[in-house]
Amino acid sequence: MPKSAAASLLLFFLSAPLLAAEPDYSTWNMLLARHYDPARGMEYAGLKARDAATLQQLRRRMAAVDLAKLSRNEQLAFWINLYNISVVGIVVDHYPVKTIRDISTDPIVRLNVFKKDLVPFGSARISLDEIEHKRIREVFRDPRIHFAINCAATSCPSIRHEAYVGARIDAQLDDQTRSFLNGPLGVSLSRRGKTLIVRTTKIMDWFGDDFDQWGGGKLAFLRRYLSAGKVKVIDSAADVKIDYDDYDWSLNQR
């Protein structure tokens, strides 16, 4: 290759913008493998005793991520991971507690822990509610996210046992939704006279508009993810009513 061509090629590579890399979630994967069992919950005591410093370092690294360098799918994965990491971090900061609501200062509803600016992000702090409602729901309009973010409650869908990543986020959300809805806290069917009662998580009641507007309707959404056997029962019913479980806010700990 002529020297002039080689010099031009080198100049191109030096001047071209570097491809942005998705955040390294290996530390989160390690913490999940070490302390979390989706069927039994988080080992908060062990996490606080042995890996609290590692968790705090991870939170600081997440706060420094430049979202502008991420693709849309990578941004969605980032926000879900940040939410889950932050919930675990907030619980660890205050552990031992019996429920994340014990961290709230509101004596009645006991949910303002989600409204407090407790999540480091950039040079400031934001709230869990801002991540969930402003950064995820309003931007991505995907009801599957309700089965991906975890609020540290027993009734909440479990934390996925791996970080979400942009390249696989769609398949991960599908799998997470399907696993929850076909699991013990997902959907149960019963009869009340001629009416089939489809009983499911309270989350689908609280965020009903999301499933109606972005998921094609609650029942249609459920049919996409339920087992073939349950779908057959639903389709054979002349009358179907959706009902909702009570929500257990006790800590998802083991």
Side-chain angles (χ1 to χ4, degrees):
M1 178 183 295
K3 288 184 179 180
S4 59
S8 297
L9 186 62
L10 177 61
L11 181 61
F12 170 79
F13 282 116
L14 290 176
S15 61
L18 295 175
L19 292 176
E22 191 165 14
D24 180 2
Y25 297 123
S26 58
T27 299
W28 179 229
N29 288 335
M30 178 273 291
L31 291 174
L32 289 172
R34 187 175 293 178
H35 299 288
Y36 188 66
D37 180 344
R40 298 168 57 209
M42 184 69 72
E43 185 195 17
Y44 289 105
L47 175 53
K48 183 165 188 171
R50 297 190 293 275
D51 283 315
T54 301
L55 178 59
Q56 293 308 317
Q57 290 170 4
L58 173 59
R59 294 175 74 185
R60 287 193 292 271
R61 290 201 303 273
M62 293 291 285
V65 169
D66 185 353
L67 280 176
K69 294 181 178 179
L70 303 183
S71 69
R72 180 176 173 83
N73 282 353
E74 288 170 345
Q75 289 181 23
L76 176 56
F78 169 80
W79 286 120
I80 294 173
N81 292 328
L82 180 63
Y83 189 96
N84 290 339
I85 291 167
S86 299
V87 166
V88 171
I90 290 167
V91 172
V92 167
D93 288 344
H94 296 85
Y95 194 81
V97 291
K98 294 182 178 179
T99 167
I100 193 171
R101 297 194 302 175
D102 289 345
I103 303 170
S104 290
T105 53
D106 177 351
I108 306 299
V109 181
R110 300 171 66 205
L111 287 178
N112 69 349
V113 61
F114 296 98
K115 301 180 185 299
K116 295 180 178 181
D117 292 335
L118 299 175
V119 180
F121 182 65
S123 59
R125 286 177 175 261
I126 59 178
S127 69
L128 292 169
D129 272 0
E130 179 172 340
I131 297 174
E132 179 180 5
H133 304 306
K134 299 294 184 182
R135 307 301 182 109
I136 299 179
R137 290 179 59 232
E138 288 187 10
V139 174
F140 297 95
R141 300 188 173 191
D142 188 335
R144 295 177 299 174
I145 65 93
H146 294 296
F147 304 98
I149 60 174
N150 179 276
C151 63
T154 295
S155 286
C156 197
S158 63
I159 303 172
R160 189 170 182 83
H161 215 239
E162 63 174 355
Y164 290 88
V165 292
R168 294 189 290 116
I169 186 72
D170 192 58
Q172 287 177 313
L173 289 174
D174 269 346
D175 181 68
Q176 190 74 6
T177 302
R178 187 175 295 108
S179 296
F180 177 79
L181 291 177
N182 290 286
L185 299 179
V187 170
S188 62
L189 304 178
S190 60
R191 297 280 181 178
R192 186 182 300 158
K194 295 182 179 180
T195 301
L196 177 70
I197 306 299
V198 179
R199 194 169 184 85
T200 190
T201 172
K202 188 68 174 174
I203 292 169
M204 292 193 72
D205 184 23
W206 290 334
F207 298 100
D209 287 348
D210 291 11
F211 293 93
D212 290 338
Q213 295 173 11
W214 308 327
K218 300 182 191 70
L219 194 60
F221 182 88
L222 289 173
R223 287 183 73 264
R224 284 201 295 275
Y225 293 99
L226 289 177
S227 65
K230 285 185 176 178
V231 171
K232 185 177 180 180
V233 173
I234 292 172
D235 289 347
S236 66
D239 184 39
V240 178
K241 180 179 184 297
I242 299 178
D243 206 350
Y244 305 98
D245 293 324
D246 293 332
Y247 204 78
D248 182 355
W249 278 101
S250 62
L251 197 64
N252 62 336
Q253 66 179 337
R254 61 185 176 99

